[in-house]
């Protein structure tokens, strides 16, 4: 029997790690620049938390959650996203008494049982950022700017910001009613899925990708024509600030997002090439009703999440280089039983001095060890044999020039340290 990584998951092999290390480093740096504090929430939470937050009639809750059973008969879901858990933590730890707003970010895996394809996995990673406790459209601008800076910092080209407002509990239902009424007149023209969606989760008809539904969507009423005064004002203020900053965006009337907690602002960033159908590198928006829905005090919030796999795929597609990870600087080769014994102490000393070092195992010939050293791409190979032990020295081979010299043992570490600097 041969085991394989489960469908929709993959191993991140050492050659891919430089991308992850670089990206995660930049994420921590940017989050700090924007005044966000890190929070880690559990990988699993009560099923009901996600059902309530994301919505019973969404694809995520209906079809995509991984449910794990507890011994006591309780059941949990692997987190499909971070917003629900973060707002749960905000309420649970009484963060409403902290200085507001609270800016929180997380980096970690999330799980959705989706049909895997390029850029879409069952285990994926998100950078998630939330500003909780603030309704000023400036907070919306801040999270959008953070996303913007992230892609700029990484050197992305050809991204587009998609923006819409989905109203609030006052105006959204009026719009939904108008949308449903419009679809009643066009049921014969749309796909089976849309005929179902218009009953259970009407806004989702707007992001149907089927050709037959496109003319119906194009003529559908637009939510921005139904916004109440407060929502219209909020949206206008945000757009004004984006214009003032010279940050271009596309007003996308069809952008509704697949999670029910959104109110007012919703946005996505799309990569124009490389990812194919899964082109959203991040998505987010405002969720002013969520804390209350989860039993907390009424608290506005806004945030976004970026998919790290999609960012890395786009980086690779756009040929964005990342710094290599340091490899061992030194290889310790040894000859004879005494040399081998002495190599253990030398390795320990090198590592204590902060010099990354590896050595050969077993009793390979010196020639075989030298081949190993050159494959390990080290800068120096140190040779410990009978002659070196007798003269209390070490032979140091510079692997770039091929030159060798005998260095007294007591000077070795200091000399290596300064030449490796
Ligand atoms: P989302 O749009 O469901 O939003 O996910 C955000 C991002 O996660 C997507 O744009 C995509 O880059 C990545 N992503 C989602 N599903 C997958 C998948 N199966 N494979 C690979 N990448 C994926 C949320 O999760 C919201 N919680 C965002 C948010 C935070 N809204 C407010 N605050």
């Amino acid at each position: 029997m041969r085991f394989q990584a489960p469908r929709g998951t993959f191993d991140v092999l050492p050659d891919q790690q430089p991308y992850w290390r670089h990206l995660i480093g930049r994420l921590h740096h940017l989050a700090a620049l924007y005044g966000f504090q890190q929070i880690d929430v559990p990988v699993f939470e009560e099923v009901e938390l996600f059902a309530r937050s994301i919505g019973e009639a969404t694809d995520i809750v209906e079809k995509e959650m991984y449910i794990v059973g507890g011994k006591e008969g309780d059941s949990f879901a692997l987190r499909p996203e971070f917003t629900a858990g973060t707002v749960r933590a905000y309420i649970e730890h009484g963060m409403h008494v902290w200085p507001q707003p609270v800016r929180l970010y997380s980096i970690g895996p999330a799980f959705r049982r989706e049909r895997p394809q390029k850029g879409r996995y069952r285990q994926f990673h998100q950078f998630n950022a939330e500003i909780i406790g603030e309704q000023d459209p400036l907070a919306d601008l801040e999270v959008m700017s953070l996303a913007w800076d992230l892609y700029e910092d990484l050197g992305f080209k050809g991204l587009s910001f998609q923006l819409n407002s989905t109203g609030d509990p006052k105006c959204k239902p009026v719009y939904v009613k108008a949308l449903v009424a419009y679809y009643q007149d066009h049921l014969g023209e749309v796909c089976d899925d849309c005929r179902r969606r218009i009953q259970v989760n009407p806004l989702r008809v707007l992001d149907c990708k089927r050709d037959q539904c496109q003319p119906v969507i194009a003529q559908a009423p637009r939510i921005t024509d139904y916004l109440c005064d407060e929502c219209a004002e909020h949206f206008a203020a945000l757009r004004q600030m984006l214009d003032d900053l010279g940050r271009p965006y596309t007003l996308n009337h069809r952008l509704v997002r697949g999670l029910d907690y959104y109110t007012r602002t919703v946005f996505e960033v799309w990569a124009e090439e490389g990812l194919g159908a899964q082109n959203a590198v991040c998505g987010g928006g405002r969720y002013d009703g969520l804390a209350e829905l989860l039993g907390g005090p009424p608290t506005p919030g806004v945030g976004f999440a970026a998919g790290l796999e999609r960012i890395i795929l786009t980086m690779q597609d756009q040929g964005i280089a990342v710094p290599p990870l340091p490899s061992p600087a030194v290889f310790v080769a040894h000859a004879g039983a005494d040399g081998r014994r002495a190599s253990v102490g030398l390795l320990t000393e090198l590592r204590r001095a902060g010099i990354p070092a590896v050595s050969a195992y077993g009793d390979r010939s010196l020639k075989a060890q030298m081949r190993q050293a050159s494959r390990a791409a080290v800068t120096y190979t140190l040779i410990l044999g009978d002659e070196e032990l007798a003269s209390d020295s070490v032979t140091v081979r510079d692997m770039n020039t091929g030159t060798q010299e005998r260095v007294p043992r007591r000077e070795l570490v200091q000399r290596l340290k300064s030449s490796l600097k």
Side-chain angles (χ1 to χ4, degrees), residues 147 175 199 202 204 287 401:
Y175 170 69
Q199 308 288 339
R204 298 299 297 173
Y287 46 87
T401 61

Side-chain angles (χ1 to χ4, degrees), residues 166-177 203 223 226 259-264:
T166 55
D168 67 7
K170 206 157 69 186
C171 54
K172 195 193 250 177
V174 184
Y175 170 69
V176 171
K177 218 167 142 189
L203 287 181
I223 189 150
Y226 288 79
L259 305 98
D260 283 356
Y261 48 62
Y262 290 111
T263 53
R264 297 190 170 170

Side-chain angles (χ1 to χ4, degrees), residues 60 80-83 112 114 119-122 124 126 128-130 257 259 261-262 268 280-285 287 302-307 309-310:
I60 296 179
E81 55 110 55
F82 287 76
T83 310
R112 296 182 194 176
E114 295 197 77
R120 188 162 72 195
Y121 310 103
R122 292 182 164 182
F124 57 99
Q126 286 189 338
N128 187 79
E130 315 284 1
R257 314 253 314 120
L259 305 98
Y261 48 62
Y262 290 111
E268 284 185 357
V281 284
C282 85
Y287 46 87
V302 60
F304 79 97
E309 287 79 4
R310 290 189 194 174

Side-chain angles (χ1 to χ4, degrees), residues 45-116:
E45 301 256 11
E46 282 179 57
V47 174
E48 183 60 18
L49 172 74
F50 298 117
R52 249 202 229 188
S53 309
I54 299 167
E56 296 277 4
T58 57
D59 283 352
I60 296 179
V61 171
E62 249 185 11
K63 306 190 273 214
E64 296 171 359
M65 287 205 299
Y66 284 94
I67 308 295
V68 289
K71 265 214 171 108
E72 303 82 27
D74 37 10
S75 61
F76 300 101
L78 299 188
R79 64 183 177 208
E81 55 110 55
F82 287 76
T83 310
T86 306
V87 174
R88 193 259 318 128
Y90 177 94
I91 300 166
E92 184 173 337
H93 301 283
M95 292 187 205
H96 62 281
V97 303
W98 296 11
Q100 300 294 295
V102 179
R103 298 183 188 82
L104 298 170
Y105 79 99
S106 310
I107 300 172
F111 307 86
R112 296 182 194 176
R113 189 186 276 108
E114 295 197 77
R115 202 168 43 78

